Amino acid sequence: ATRWRTAFETASSRLERLCKEAEHKQVALDAATEAGTAAQKSVDRQSAAVKEAKEALAMQRQVLSEVEAEAARAAQRGREAAEQTRVARGEAQAAADEER
């Protein structure tokens, strides 16, 4: 009977130790899961920020394209106005020369 009691106590002690180890591992697993969830949320937020930045960049490019197009049109109008001024000056000069 003593032999059985010793074996039972040894098995009980070992079982208690294994249970404590399992509890510690479960706590560590829970902490790792929580950290993983937090990391995933951070990645999700960063992905959303990158998406917003890309959208803002696309909008800036569109606005820049429109501004460049308007600047090109304004430059063309300026060249046309300069040409008309040159022609008008030439005509005015010719008219002045004729009157002399």
Side-chain angles (χ1 to χ4, degrees), residues 22-89:
E23 287 173 3
H24 290 302
K25 288 180 181 179
Q26 184 62 49
V27 168
L29 178 61
D30 291 346
T33 300
E34 198 172 306
T37 300
Q40 184 61 50
K41 286 179 182 178
S42 177
V43 167
D44 292 345
R45 285 191 300 273
Q46 289 175 349
S47 294
V50 167
K51 182 180 177 184
E52 285 182 31
K54 285 181 177 179
E55 289 171 357
L57 181 58
M59 287 176 24
Q60 286 178 333
R61 286 180 176 157
Q62 179 63 34
V63 169
L64 178 59
S65 176
E66 291 171 9
V67 167
E68 287 174 339
E70 182 56 37
R73 289 189 293 271
Q76 181 60 33
R77 288 190 301 268
R79 286 189 294 274
E80 290 170 358
E83 177 63 19
Q84 290 173 358
T85 300
R86 188 184 65 72
V87 169
R89 281 186 185 155

